[in-house]
């Protein structure tokens, strides 16, 4: 069984400030973890993924995430927020070692960036 | 960059009608999925498909739903008799190894 908890359904930061979106996971097997961004009325865009290689993963648009097994966390960060970062962010865990390999998503975090 | 293509982007249907949502996964991918997202909610797994059969399905995926990969390129989701609560964004996804690629979704509105 796998699950994801995203702490904070809404996060608001000022432009230029640090972005921190929290994700904790539960998985009975070594997890593969993903962050997606969704802009209004659009699809899911992959920001980055952890697949058991380096624990610090760099993604697109300046985002990165660190896998911490001891804390079962995979928090998403960006040093300096841009207005264009305002969107919904989803953390997901997947067991891609099975033929199902389904992804389980968190509830999402809405990021607001204030000018 | 290869894309997963979904058609149509929007579909409005009357309650009780059958709908077919279409997806063209990335050509060398092996695993195929349907997810749905009810407005304002999280993305939920519906079904996974591998080696021409369903490998896992959620409790949402009841007898009203079916999937098919009829010709080696398309991957379809059929809802036999739509209900109001089927209104959602439906995402198709495919993968070869670790990374999922999602389509841009079909917004289904049941009236």
């Amino acid at each position: 069984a796998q699950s994801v908890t995203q702490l904070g359904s809404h996060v608001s930061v000022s432009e230029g400030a640090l972005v921190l979106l929290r994700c904790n996971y539960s998985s009975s097997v070594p997890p593969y973890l993903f962050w997606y961004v969704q802009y209004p009325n659009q699809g899911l865009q992959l920001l980055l993924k952890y697949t058991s290689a380096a624990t610090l993963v760099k993604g697109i648009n300046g985002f990165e995430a660190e896998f911490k097994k001891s804390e079962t966390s995979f928090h998403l960060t960006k040093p300096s927020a841009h207005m264009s970062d305002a969107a919904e962010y989803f953390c997901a865990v997947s067991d891609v070692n099975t033929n199902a390999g389904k992804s389980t998503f968190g509830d999402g975090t809405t990021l607001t960036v204030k000018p | 960059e290869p894309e997963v293509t979904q058609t149509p982007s929007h579909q409005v249907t009357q309650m009780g009608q059958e709908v077919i949502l279409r997806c063209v996964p990335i050509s060398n991918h092996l695993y195929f999925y349907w997810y749905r997202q009810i407005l304002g909610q999280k993305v939920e797994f519906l079904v996974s498909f591998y080696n021409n059969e369903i490998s896992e399905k959620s409790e949402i995926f009841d007898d009203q739903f079916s999937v098919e990969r009829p010709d080696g390129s398309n991957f379809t989701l059929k809802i036999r008799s739509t209900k109001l609560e089927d209104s959602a964004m439906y995402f198709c996804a495919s993968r070869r190894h670790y990374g999922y690629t999602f389509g841009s979704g079909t917004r289904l509105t049941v009236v």
Side-chain angles (χ1 to χ4, degrees):
Chain A
Q2 53 192 24
S3 66
V4 169
T5 302
Q6 290 184 242
L7 299 172
S9 58
H10 291 85
V11 170
S12 181
V13 301
S14 297
E15 192 173 19
L18 172 72
V19 175
L20 171 60
L21 305 183
R22 300 177 188 273
C23 172
N24 288 89
Y25 70 90
S26 171
S27 177
S28 55
V29 297
Y32 291 84
L33 296 157
F34 306 85
W35 275 101
Y36 295 90
V37 60
Q38 186 179 36
Y39 297 98
N41 298 312
Q42 292 190 26
L44 296 165
Q45 182 182 11
L46 179 67
L47 281 176
L48 49 78
K49 61 180 182 281
Y50 166 76
T51 58
S52 75
T55 56
L56 182 62
V57 181
K58 294 188 185 298
I60 62 171
N61 302 340
F63 284 94
E64 61 182 38
E66 186 172 8
F67 172 71
K68 291 187 177 180
K69 184 178 179 181
S70 60
E71 299 177 10
T72 60
S73 69
F74 190 58
H75 301 331
L76 182 71
T77 60
K78 181 173 181 177
S80 176
H82 295 165
M83 298 297 292
S84 60
D85 294 327
E88 186 85 9
Y89 291 80
F90 291 96
C91 180
V93 62
S94 182
D95 176 14
V96 295
N97 286 318
T98 68
N99 286 340
K102 71 178 184 185
S103 285
T104 301
F105 285 77
D107 290 339
T109 298
T110 301
L111 176 66
T112 302
V113 182
K114 299 175 292 187
Chain B
E1 188 169 329
E3 292 184 343
V4 173
T5 305
Q6 289 187 245
T7 54
S9 56
H10 293 88
Q11 177 144 8
V12 180
T13 189
Q14 289 199 326
M15 191 169 53
Q17 294 297 303
E18 174 183 287
V19 295
I20 297 176
L21 309 183
R22 302 181 191 279
C23 169
V24 179
I26 294 173
S27 60
N28 65 349
H29 283 192
L30 303 173
Y31 304 86
F32 312 104
Y33 304 86
W34 284 100
Y35 290 80
R36 81 171 185 191
Q37 184 182 32
I38 294 171
L39 187 63
Q41 298 186 24
K42 69 178 179 183
V43 179
E44 300 173 290
F45 168 76
L46 290 179
V47 66
S48 60
F49 194 86
Y50 169 74
N51 200 25
N52 289 318
E53 61 182 17
I54 290 174
S55 45
E56 187 172 349
K57 58 184 180 180
S58 72
E59 58 190 29
I60 302 168
F61 194 89
D62 61 21
D63 292 344
Q64 294 299 312
F65 291 87
S66 63
V67 290
E68 220 176 26
R69 188 160 158 79
D71 56 10
S73 61
N74 293 287
F75 181 51
T76 61
L77 175 69
K78 182 192 290 186
I79 309 175
R80 286 190 185 82
S81 178
T82 50
K83 309 185 202 56
L84 294 176
E85 54 265 36
D86 294 327
S87 295
M89 181 77 93
Y90 288 81
F91 292 106
C92 175
S94 70
R95 69 176 177 94
R96 183 169 178 83
H97 298 297
Y98 306 129
Y100 273 68
T101 301
F102 280 86
S104 54
T106 293
R107 181 169 297 286
L108 176 66
T109 302
V110 182
V111 297

